[in-house]
Amino acid sequence: TSEERGEIITRFFCTAGRGLEPFLMREVRARLAATQVEYISGKVFFTTCSDLNMLKKLKSAERLFLLIKKQFPLIISSVSKGKIFNEMQRLINEDPGSWLNAISIWKNLLELDAKKEKLSQRDDNQLKRKVGENEIIAKKLKIEQMQKIEENRDCQLEKQIKEETLEQRDFTTKSEKFQEEEFQNDIEKAMDTHNQNDLTFRVSCRCSGTIGKAFTAQEVGKVIGIAIMKHFGWKADLRNPQLEIFIHLNDIYSVVGIPVFRVSLASRAYIKTAGLRSTIAWAMASLADIKAGAFVLDPMCGLGTILLEAAKEWPDVYYVGADVSDSQLLGTWDNLKAAGLEDKIELLKISVIELPLPSESVDIIISDIPFGKKFKLGKDVKSILQEMERVLHVGGTIVLLLSEDHHRRLTDCKESSIPFNSKDSHTHEPGIKKCLNPEEKTGAFKTASTSFEASNHKFLDRMSPFGSLVPVECYKVSLGKTDAFICKYKKSHSSGL
């Protein structure tokens, strides 16, 4: 069982950029073997027994939280602030067991992670010791051979070997001692952090909708904080708490959780200079069905974020990045060196509308089409697609990030222009509400998946094929201040270009 293997079955949720929920749902199932996968706008909930090391590998998520509770929204019907505050405090007072259970699981996750780290260090030490012993044996054999040839050097060589043996043992002992001290420090820190009697905490609150208009996040945070102090005896510490409590209240749901990592999962240590958001870049690469040995091209690579994300996840591939800008290519090169991928990705200074590649020579093209700053929205976009279409194999895949203007121009029918309807958003309220009902988890999951599929088909129905490129999938995603579309095409036949 999971318990026998030291695994902890836990309910988590991740925040995600708007529109990336379907990518995150697929990822947690594939990477974490997650079950009970549900979504609400901007969040994906799932159950898994994966450890922290696996959870850190999530690429389409923003932040990861241990779920304390998820329920329907607070009803703001009373004009009395006191009554509303009492309603908020019920998040703690009604079910304190779920809070204590979450803290216990959090503690166990960190301790399990520390134990696995200790085992890993012990294996490394054993390997180092074995290597050291082998070296000593080899040197002793060499001495015996030398004895037969030159007996007069016996004493000198034996002395040398003894000295090296002592040095090796001394080095191994010091290394083990240092690693043991580091591990003990981690364990003590974890134990101190999770002592439930003198725990320090702070509340991070996000409010929107009706409750956001009635109260500030600070007011709600203060009310929740007081309730936690009274009920559990924990101490508030706004600067350097041992525990952070995350609460999100709006008109659709109330969610409470504990951040598992202080740093966002979207912050990639291997990216020196950020370009396109890493979660978007990974989502695009995941849609391309990259296989080992493929030839993958980004003909407008910018700072190379898409190629970096792809090469980290799918390494056994031939990657080529191209751009017309010297400064962008220099930035890409810096990123490749920082990520240790300079030997994995080839860079070219070329124009996307004049690619020096044979027709039908590329397996996959993934690219972020500039949003009108370098290219005009009209004929240039179509000339870009024509050149991509030319170099792509029949059966090959193109994944593009398109602005709303680009998307509209490429998807308009010849007879008339069909403007984008905001109702085609992935997230429909009936799906959200079902997802929140604990008695209808299976139905909620189906509803969530169906809403994504229905939305996707609405986009595809309006996307007329461009030449031999046939639309396969399309997702509207948020880039912060603006929206964009991740669109996937397949080349159905030879373009004849």
Side-chain angles (χ1 to χ4, degrees), residues 262-275:
R262 292 197 177 188
V263 179
S264 168
L265 293 170
S267 299
R268 310 286 202 250
Y270 51 81
I271 295 181
K272 183 179 179 181
T273 307

Side-chain angles (χ1 to χ4, degrees), residues 15-272:
T15 51
R18 186 162 42 85
L20 289 183
E21 299 94 340
F23 295 92
L24 182 52
M25 289 169 75
R26 282 197 290 261
E27 187 185 6
V28 296
R29 289 193 196 102
R31 200 185 295 277
L32 307 176
T35 58
Q36 296 177 294
V37 182
E38 307 169 337
Y39 87 102
I40 51 183
S41 180
K43 294 180 181 64
V44 170
F45 298 81
F46 58 94
T47 300
T48 183
C49 58
S50 296
D51 60 19
L52 296 187
N53 190 46
M54 285 301 298
L55 289 161
K56 285 176 189 173
K57 294 179 181 178
L58 289 173
K59 298 291 187 179
S60 55
E62 292 292 331
R63 294 198 73 187
L64 173 71
F65 298 85
L66 179 65
L67 181 66
I68 296 178
K69 61 169 54 185
K70 175 186 67 175
Q71 63 185 47
F72 287 111
L74 299 176
I75 306 301
I76 309 299
S77 56
S78 171
V79 292
S80 166
K81 275 196 171 185
K83 288 183 179 179
I84 298 171
F85 287 156
N86 286 336
E87 189 71 21
M88 291 178 189
Q89 291 178 336
R90 287 176 64 188
L91 286 169
I92 296 95
N93 302 334
E94 265 193 350
D95 185 18
S98 64
W99 287 75
L100 296 175
N101 184 53
I103 297 297
S104 178
I105 291 172
W106 184 52
K107 169 185 174 181
N108 291 338
L109 278 171
L110 285 183
E111 288 181 351
L112 182 62
D113 193 53
K115 286 177 184 176
K116 288 185 177 180
E117 183 67 24
K118 181 182 179 181
L119 289 173
S120 176
Q121 289 174 354
R122 185 177 294 167
D123 290 342
D124 288 343
N125 288 338
Q126 287 175 349
L127 183 62
K128 287 176 184 176
R129 193 180 295 117
K130 210 167 199 177
V131 170
E133 288 170 356
N134 289 340
E135 286 176 355
I136 293 164
I137 291 168
K139 286 177 181 177
K140 283 184 176 179
L141 288 172
K142 187 176 179 181
I143 291 171
E144 290 172 4
Q145 291 171 356
M146 292 290 285
Q147 281 176 339
K148 292 177 183 179
I149 301 168
E150 300 178 37
E151 292 182 359
N152 61 336
R153 294 185 183 180
D154 283 355
C155 295
Q156 187 178 352
L157 286 168
E158 285 176 7
K159 184 180 179 183
Q160 182 184 341
I161 286 301
K162 285 178 181 177
E163 287 175 354
E164 289 185 358
T165 302
L166 288 171
E167 286 176 7
Q168 180 70 31
R169 286 175 180 168
D170 185 52
F171 173 78
T172 305
T173 304
K174 285 180 180 177
S175 179
E176 285 179 342
K177 188 177 180 181
F178 174 75
Q179 289 169 340
E180 184 67 25
E181 285 174 357
E182 286 293 299
F183 169 71
Q184 286 299 330
N185 289 339
D186 289 342
I187 288 292
E188 286 170 13
K189 187 176 178 182
M191 292 300 291
D192 289 343
T193 302
H194 301 98
N195 189 325
Q196 293 185 16
N197 296 324
D198 57 0
L199 194 64
T200 62
F201 76 98
R202 75 172 170 217
V203 178
S204 297
C205 200
R206 188 187 301 170
C207 302
S208 55
T210 306
I211 198 164
K213 292 175 183 176
F215 304 99
T216 65
Q218 288 77 11
E219 284 179 307
V220 175
K222 186 176 180 181
V223 170
I224 298 294
I226 290 169
I228 290 172
M229 285 190 287
K230 284 182 177 179
H231 208 97
F232 302 115
W234 303 343
K235 298 174 183 178
D237 184 347
L238 301 182
R239 291 190 174 184
N240 189 29
Q242 296 167 330
L243 174 69
E244 185 177 356
I245 304 294
F246 172 85
I247 296 180
H248 190 182
L249 307 177
N250 60 25
D251 294 336
I252 304 170
Y253 56 79
S254 300
V255 174
V256 185
I258 301 170
V260 178
F261 307 115
R262 292 197 177 188
V263 179
S264 168
L265 293 170
S267 299
R268 310 286 202 250
Y270 51 81
I271 295 181
K272 183 179 179 181

